[in-house]
């Protein structure tokens, strides 16, 4: 086993594993410009991943936005080892345990008590499904079954299961399955790149909110919820927008009696500068989805937090009024313990404050790119930095990805959008390493 090299694992993986979000043919055709290398990872430490041939890669996108405090983090490892010796799993229907209780209490406290109960699942898409079902079922329970439709934003991404695709507006994930999906209404995005001459980001937000208002005025009585990714729409290519949109959306949802669901799966856990992104608009949602970073990037865990009003509408002697949703691993103790260790690190290391310096550092090192003739909309919100590249090359993203790997960096553009979303333990030297990898890979990919 220990003698295995990259080549062996590559061949065995291609023969047996169907990799996610991948045209598997791109792994095979090594000579094509669309080639996507498959990299067997032997180990990880801090911000670095190591392959079987001793090559290393700086994890510039936190392993799909999940890893906050580095790979093989000693404190999370220690918590998990302890939990492993205590309780690995117990079903959460009819049973409870220390990690799930403590995690629920701490997350509720982080919302200032506005969201009093936590419901558990394993992946982000399941959290979306749960939030949609909860909202729909709430309206039924309070005698308004006509409120059954959902609103989402252009370019939104809330996961890829059939229910979550209803509120996802990214063509490559959705188009093939359109006949299976009961699509939601897609409303204009407040993405500040859509600014017309003379418009500020807040103006774009107000224009998008006016479209929301016009829709609610006509159809509000049929609408259960609006779901948004607060401040940054990740999967569509790091579209960023002004908090003004969330403030106005909150007011409109209140006025037209529509739930506001904040999908904080990507932007929660400090990513945008505050612990939850919605805090920057000084609002609270009715329902919030968390996943990705909440377990520190260790284990599949997702959570839906809801207001007491929603929770209480399900309380009744009748089982039919209850929320009967479940997954086998709901509230898994190991995953919850990883999340508790993650929250401990936020507190003991004053992470939000420390990240302010890191995000300023990232802005500084990327700033020269603003002058690059092919770079558009260099933008940043906390620990997410992005820019678009003006090119018609359909292979740009994979060319850039390969060029970055050759420079010891894992940076995986979304279409023509290059972004950095590093783990919070990244050092100044590592930030500099990422910036030079970005600059050089950009030249190489544009050749
Ligand atoms: C990743 C993501 C999801 C889906 O999470 P999975 O764990 O991949 O199912 C949902 N919403 C947002 C905003 C995401 O970034």
């Amino acid at each position: 086993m220990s003698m295995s090299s990259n080549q062996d694992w590559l061949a065995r993986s291609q023969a047996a594993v169907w990799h996610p979000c991948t045209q598997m043919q791109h792994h095979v055709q090594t000579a094509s410009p669309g080639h996507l290398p498959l990299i067997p990872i032997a180990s990880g430490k801090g911000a670095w991943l190591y392959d079987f041939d001793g090559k290393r890669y700086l994890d510039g996108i936190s392993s799909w936005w999940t890893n906050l405090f580095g790979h093989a983090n000693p404190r999370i490892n220690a918590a998990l080892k302890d939990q492993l010796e205590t309780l690995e799993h117990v079903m959460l229907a009819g049973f409870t345990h220390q990690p799930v209780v403590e995690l629920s209490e701490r997350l509720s406290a982080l919302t200032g008590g506005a969201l009093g109960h936590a419901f558990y699942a394993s992946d982000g898409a399941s959290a979306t499904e749960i939030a949609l079902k909860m909202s729909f079922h709430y309206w039924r329970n309070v005698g308004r079954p006509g409120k059954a439709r959902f609103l989402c934003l252009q370019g939104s991404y809330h996961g890829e299961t059939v229910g979550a695709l209803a509120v996802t507006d990214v063509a490559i994930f959705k188009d093939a399955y359109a006949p299976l999906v009961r699509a939601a209404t897609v409303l204009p995005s407040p993405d500040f790149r859509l600014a017309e001459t003379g418009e500020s980001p807040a103006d774009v937000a107000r224009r998008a909110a006016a479209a929301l208002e016009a829709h609610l005025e006509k159809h509000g009585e049929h609408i259960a919820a609006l779901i948004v990714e607060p401040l940054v729409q990740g999967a569509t290519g790091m579209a960023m927008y002004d908090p003004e949109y969330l403030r106005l959306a909150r007011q409109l949802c209140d006025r037209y009696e529509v739930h506001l669901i904040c999908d904080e799966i990507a932007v929660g856990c400090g990513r945008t500068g505050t612990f939850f992104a919605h805090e920057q608009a000084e609002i609270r949602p009715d329902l919030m989805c968390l996943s990705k970073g909440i377990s520190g990037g260790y284990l599949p865990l997702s959570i839906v937090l809801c207001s007491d009003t929603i929770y209480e509408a399900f309380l009744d002697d009748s089982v039919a009024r209850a929320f009967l949703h479940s997954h086998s691993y709901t509230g898994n103790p190991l995953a919850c313990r990883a999340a508790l260790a993650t929250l401990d690190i936020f507190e003991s290391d004053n992470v939000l404050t420390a990240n302010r310096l890191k995000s300023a550092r990232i802005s500084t090192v990327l700033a020269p790119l603003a002058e690059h003739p092919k770079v558009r909309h260099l933008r940043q919100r906390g620990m997410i930095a992005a820019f678009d590249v003006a090119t018609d090359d359909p292979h740009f993203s994979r060319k850039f990805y390969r060029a970055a790997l050759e420079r010891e960096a894992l940076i995986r553009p979304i279409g023509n959008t290059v972004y950095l979303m590093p783990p919070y333990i990244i050092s100044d030297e590592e930030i500099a390493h990422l910036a030079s990898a970005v600059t050089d890979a950009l030249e190489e990919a544009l050749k």
Side-chain angles (χ1 to χ4, degrees):
M1 285 285 283
S2 61
M3 297 301 290
S4 291
S5 71
N6 274 354
Q7 283 310 320
D8 297 330
W9 289 115
L10 264 176
R12 286 171 63 183
S13 194
Q14 281 179 16
V17 182
W18 196 338
H19 292 270
C21 201
T22 300
Q23 170 48 269
M24 291 297 286
Q25 184 80 3
H26 286 153
H27 280 330
V28 182
Q29 290 178 328
T30 52
S32 104
H35 173 60
L36 185 71
L38 179 62
I39 301 165
I41 292 300
S43 64
K45 190 148 185 51
W48 295 89
L49 294 163
Y50 299 87
D51 73 9
F52 288 85
D53 291 345
K55 276 212 215 113
R56 59 174 200 164
Y57 307 95
L58 186 53
D59 192 348
I61 60 165
S62 299
S63 286
W64 258 354
W65 323 348
T66 59
N67 189 291
L68 302 188
F69 300 118
H71 298 278
N73 181 288
R75 285 182 275 177
I76 304 176
N77 284 6
L80 280 176
K81 283 175 189 165
D82 177 67
Q83 187 60 42
L84 205 48
E85 297 299 332
T86 314
L87 176 67
E88 83 300 335
H89 185 64
V90 62
M91 60 192 282
L92 199 65
F95 294 87
T96 194
H97 53 79
Q98 186 174 349
V100 81
V101 173
E102 287 180 1
L103 182 58
S104 306
E105 289 172 350
R106 284 174 74 173
L107 289 174
S108 175
L110 283 166
T111 71
L115 305 180
H117 277 80
F119 195 97
Y120 288 81
S122 312
D123 292 290
S126 311
T128 297
E129 303 265 345
I130 288 163
L132 298 178
K133 283 176 70 180
M134 260 183 195
S135 172
F136 171 88
H137 200 162
Y138 167 87
W139 292 114
R140 219 172 70 136
N141 279 352
V142 300
R144 301 179 68 182
K147 286 174 83 66
R149 295 197 55 85
F150 298 106
L151 305 178
C152 64
L153 298 179
Q154 249 159 29
S156 59
Y157 179 93
H158 299 288
E160 292 170 55
T161 52
V162 173
L165 276 179
V167 289
T168 286
D169 181 48
V170 179
I172 52 162
F173 300 131
K174 187 165 187 173
D175 286 358
Y177 312 103
L180 303 181
V181 175
R182 181 175 175 271
T185 302
V186 179
L187 292 172
S189 164
D191 177 357
F192 61 49
R193 291 173 301 179
L194 302 171
E196 285 159 17
T197 327
E199 267 190 327
S200 69
D203 292 334
V204 183
R206 284 188 276 269
R207 188 152 52 82
L212 170 63
E213 180 168 13
H215 189 85
L216 288 175
E217 208 169 1
K218 262 201 185 147
H219 306 288
E221 65 190 300
H222 299 297
I223 292 163
L226 163 71
I227 183 166
V228 298
E229 294 158 88
L231 302 185
V232 184
Q233 296 183 285
T236 194
M238 302 300 156
M240 300 187 184
Y241 64 87
D242 194 277
E244 179 72 359
Y245 184 79
L246 296 172
R247 271 191 289 276
L248 295 170
R250 178 69 275 179
Q251 289 169 13
L252 292 167
C253 285
D254 285 341
R255 192 186 318 152
Y256 292 96
E257 297 180 290
V258 164
H259 291 141
L260 177 62
I261 304 172
C262 282
D263 174 351
E264 297 250 4
I265 290 168
V267 294
C269 302
R271 193 44 84 174
T272 66
T274 41
F275 192 81
F276 299 123
H278 69 252
E279 291 167 33
Q280 291 177 50
E282 295 171 325
I283 57 142
R284 293 293 180 196
D286 302 291
L287 292 149
M288 172 165 64
C289 306
L290 288 176
S291 188
K292 293 205 166 101
I294 189 63
S295 72
Y298 267 68
L299 286 159
L301 177 68
S302 65
I303 303 153
V304 177
L305 288 143
C306 74
S307 68
D308 292 341
T309 310
I310 291 177
Y311 176 74
E312 283 159 13
F314 288 79
L315 298 177
D316 194 88
D317 273 341
S318 154
V319 172
R321 285 175 67 103
F323 193 62
L324 297 185
H325 191 99
S326 65
H327 296 285
S328 310
Y329 284 100
T330 288
N332 173 260
L334 285 164
C336 291
R337 187 68 187 273
L340 287 168
T342 299
L343 294 182
D344 286 343
I345 296 175
F346 270 100
E347 280 176 20
S348 62
D349 293 9
N350 234 320
V351 170
L352 296 178
T353 306
N355 278 0
R356 266 178 236 147
L357 293 175
K358 292 191 203 252
S359 82
R361 184 93 204 154
I362 293 169
S363 311
T364 306
V365 296
L366 293 183
L369 282 165
E371 310 303 320
H372 192 287
K374 298 285 184 196
V375 169
R376 306 280 183 274
H377 301 293
L378 179 62
R379 57 195 182 275
Q380 189 173 351
R381 176 79 70 180
M383 294 294 278
I384 309 175
F387 60 85
D388 306 327
V389 179
T391 170
D392 297 328
D393 183 352
H395 301 299
F396 170 79
S397 72
R398 288 189 293 276
K399 281 186 183 166
F400 184 102
Y401 177 65
R402 291 197 303 263
L405 287 172
E406 282 160 19
R407 289 158 181 82
E408 299 190 320
L410 162 47
I411 305 165
R412 197 178 142 117
I414 299 171
N416 289 358
T417 300
V418 174
Y419 72 93
L420 295 178
M421 205 156 157
Y424 305 160
I425 43 94
I426 194 162
S427 68
D428 283 357
E429 296 72 43
E430 288 163 342
I431 288 172
H433 177 100
L434 278 182
S436 72
V438 167
T439 308
D440 296 351
L442 182 62
E443 291 316 317
E444 171 100 20
L446 286 173
K447 258 190 212 153

